[in-house]
Amino acid sequence: MKELQLDHFHEIQQLFQYHYKNEWVSQAFINRHTRLWIQAFNTLVQQGFIERKKSENQFVYRWKAAYPDA
């Protein structure tokens, strides 16, 4: 279980780093994932890696923390 969560953390970081860059991601995008993926995502939000803000009718998210050096 812990290994799967680490995989989700890495996948989420990669999505924000290479696909979404500094763009905001909608709550609808988050909701399309599995329960375990969403739990990992919420952990990253709680720990301050991902920023959350309220838009007109939903929450949006973007990566806030510095990315690790390659």
Side-chain angles (χ1 to χ4, degrees):
M1 174 92 163
K2 196 69 165 171
E3 186 176 307
L4 183 58
Q5 189 177 35
L6 288 174
D7 288 343
H8 289 313
F9 288 153
H10 186 255
E11 177 187 349
I12 293 164
Q13 178 191 330
Q14 295 291 307
L15 274 172
F16 278 95
Q17 186 173 7
Y18 297 110
H19 186 70
Y20 292 106
K21 308 218 188 296
N22 287 326
E23 296 177 27
W24 291 96
V25 176
S26 72
Q27 183 70 47
F29 169 77
I30 306 306
N31 292 342
R32 284 188 250 147
H33 292 86
T34 65
R35 181 180 58 81
L36 292 175
W37 192 97
I38 293 171
Q39 284 178 346
F41 184 88
N42 287 333
T43 299
L44 291 171
V45 172
Q46 290 170 352
Q47 292 178 353
F49 289 94
I50 296 173
E51 179 180 4
R52 172 183 165 175
K53 86 171 184 181
K54 181 80 169 160
S55 70
E56 281 186 30
N57 55 357
Q58 67 178 351
F59 285 102
V60 290
Y61 303 87
R62 74 175 171 192
W63 192 264
K64 178 178 168 182
Y67 293 108
D69 294 333

